[in-house]
Amino acid sequence: MNFRLPALTLVLMVRLCSLIILLLLTTVYVFAQAPKREFRAAWIATVSNIDWPSKPGLPAIQQQQEFIARLDKLKELGCNAVIVQIRPASDAFFPSSFEPWSRFLTGRQGQPPFPYYDPLEFMIEQAHARNMEFHAWFNPFRALTDSKKNPNPSSHVTKAHPDWVVNYGGKALLNPGIPEAREYVIRVIMDVVKRYDIDAVHLDDYFYPYRIAGVEFGDTRAYNLYGTGFSSRDDWRRNNVNLFVSALNTNIKSVKSHVKFGISPFGVWRNAVKDPMGSPTRGGQTNYDDLFADVLLWMRNGWIDYCLPQLYWEHGHRLVAFEILMPWWDNHAYERHMYFGLGVYRMVGATKGTWASTHELMWQLRDIRHKAKNPGYSLYSVSNFDKIKLPIADSIKKFNRSVAFPPVMKWLDSVAPAPPVVRFVQGPEGTLLRWDPINPKNEPLRFAVYRFTNNETVNLQKADKIISLSSTTEYLDEGAGKFKKCTYVVTALDRLWNESGASNLVSTSVN
């Protein structure tokens, strides 16, 4: 009996099969192309207890447990850096001789945690134990989140120098136009750089505040005093921020040349209708014209090591589309690193539209991975993963299933450490690798263990072959018995992620 399908049905089946094959190939491509170098981070905001601690005044042990849980979640997502807000509003999440303990930490401004501990030291240690960079996030000029409430002691900057303070939009801000105020903020930040083993200083987008229609920022007195020689107050304001950024970079590098300096500006530098160098967007406010942040100047002059613009909009947005802004920023990196801030928070509570599925965020991650010169991103922010019902965390885990090192910043250091010398012992529990590092500078090192099985070609560019990254000098491969032959290579990485050449090859086989 001959059975023939109608021609139209055959065509539809062929197309359906082709589509399925294409989707499978695309999935394999997306998940197989994980790069070995990619900055993967998330913000942990402390202002108003957005991300951590869950509320003010918790016992120290509960604060620590919550922070560890946050880090463990980010480690699961494949992150290799964390950006933690340690100075939300001229206060401190660390013992400071300049500013009081934050009320967001202890419940009362100026009161230390109980039982006492140093939260910043603890957080840095926990991040480094997970091979994650710790980027110390400062809000430079915010003095009070509520200008009508000032619980600070009389020695606090807002009371000792009320002439530095401008009330705007319900908040109190230190005036960037006063040289002494800028110098004060630099001293606060440098105190942390000198005393703590941070990997980076990170500033957010608040220099001058976002404009409020019809309300002028009250800096006339400072402008009359310091604005001589400028054709406009806008130019003077931009110069104030430029002086601050340049001076802070100089101070950081003079004390610890390995500490990175990054800034996360608003997502639009300038619209092309005002400047042909700007992006073809229609942003309502911009860095250059409203926040007085000339980010491109900072990049061109090498004053910052990475820029992390906040691109919290979707593909196809009618004013500020992601597919326009991401390549625009990447094309203006000026030999520095350009990463991208992604708005995970947009998915919280979304029941329809672009953010009601995992599609948009994963699309953005793929664009960054496959199109950016030095791929990297930060997710805003970590507590949103507690609230999103969609399986976005699972999707990110799969996307980042192999280890990635942060991109190397060659202008800071390009000298790789020497490769270690490896030996092994094979036993019933697996293959125990041990190595002797060659470390004449006694610098902090990490070690990556690569495993190639069953006569695979040794290729250190394959991130999925990294089975361990740690600061220890041994590794037990409990899974070695699953393969007929294993070849191991160990490399050393310094604190700026310069990687050594391959160690001696070690091969084991099952008889």
Side-chain angles (χ1 to χ4, degrees), residues 213-464:
V215 182
E216 186 61 32
F217 186 74
D219 59 357
T220 299
R221 184 174 179 274
Y223 178 55
N224 291 337
L225 193 59
Y226 301 109
T228 305
F230 290 90
S231 59
S232 71
R233 191 181 302 201
D234 287 3
D235 287 342
W236 170 71
R237 287 173 175 170
R238 275 186 287 272
N239 187 65
N240 295 330
V241 181
N242 292 341
L243 290 172
F244 171 75
V245 171
S246 174
L248 179 55
N249 177 64
T250 299
N251 275 267
I252 292 169
K253 296 304 188 287
S254 66
V255 172
K256 290 182 179 177
S257 60
H258 64 268
V259 172
K260 303 171 184 178
F261 180 25
I263 294 179
S264 181
F266 179 68
V268 181
W269 174 71
R270 208 174 192 199
N271 294 312
V273 293
K274 281 201 170 184
D275 187 329
M277 280 192 65
S279 54
T281 51
R282 290 178 288 158
Q285 298 206 43
T286 69
N287 283 288
Y288 187 92
D289 296 297
D290 300 287
L291 303 176
F292 309 105
D294 191 355
V295 184
L296 297 198
L297 178 70
W298 310 341
M299 299 294 285
R300 283 196 301 266
N301 290 348
W303 294 344
I304 58 178
D305 299 302
Y306 71 85
C307 182
L308 184 54
Q310 299 168 21
L311 303 190
Y312 296 159
W313 307 288
E314 65 272 14
H315 288 80
H317 191 285
R318 63 187 184 87
L319 301 177
V320 281
F322 183 87
E323 72 274 15
I324 290 174
L325 283 166
M326 196 220 88
W328 184 91
W329 279 104
D330 203 49
N331 289 332
H332 290 83
Y334 300 107
E335 305 302 320
R336 291 298 186 257
H337 285 183
M338 189 68 67
Y339 309 138
F340 303 94
L342 304 182
V344 179
Y345 74 94
R346 299 288 304 276
M347 299 177 68
V348 176
T351 57
K352 61 181 180 178
T354 300
W355 297 98
S357 76
T358 61
H359 174 75
E360 176 61 32
L361 186 65
M362 297 310 300
W363 188 3
Q364 294 182 4
L365 289 170
R366 289 193 298 271
D367 276 1
I368 292 167
R369 176 166 292 179
H370 298 302
K371 297 177 182 179
K373 297 180 186 72
N374 292 284
Y377 58 85
S378 185
L379 305 170
Y380 187 82
S381 61
V382 66
S383 65
N384 291 288
F385 288 100
D386 303 337
K387 308 165 191 172
I388 298 171
K389 295 179 181 179
L390 295 165
I392 188 61
D394 293 338
S395 297
I396 295 174
K397 286 178 198 175
K398 291 177 183 176
F399 190 69
N400 292 336
R401 72 184 188 279
S402 58
V403 173
F405 309 144
V408 172
M409 295 181 174
K410 293 184 178 180
W411 59 91
L412 296 181
D413 178 17
S414 61
V415 180
V421 178
V422 184
R423 56 193 186 280
F424 76 96
V425 177
Q426 202 162 4
E429 295 181 353
T431 300
L432 177 63
L433 303 171
R434 287 183 173 144
W435 53 88
D436 299 313
I438 300 171
N439 190 11
K441 297 180 182 177
N442 198 30
E443 59 184 326
L445 297 176
R446 303 174 183 89
F447 302 94
V449 178
Y450 297 76
R451 181 181 64 196
F452 302 91
T453 60
N454 302 335
N455 297 314
E456 282 182 298
T457 301
V458 173
N459 182 353
L460 299 191
Q461 295 309 307
K462 290 189 173 183
D464 60 341

Side-chain angles (χ1 to χ4, degrees), residues 155 167 255:
S155 60
N167 294 327
V255 172

Side-chain angles (χ1 to χ4, degrees), residues 84 89 172 189 208 210 212 228 342 364 366 397 437 468 474:
V84 184
I189 295 173
Y208 282 88
Y210 287 84
I212 301 171
T228 305
L342 304 182
Q364 294 182 4
R366 289 193 298 271
K397 286 178 198 175
S468 173
E474 66 177 32

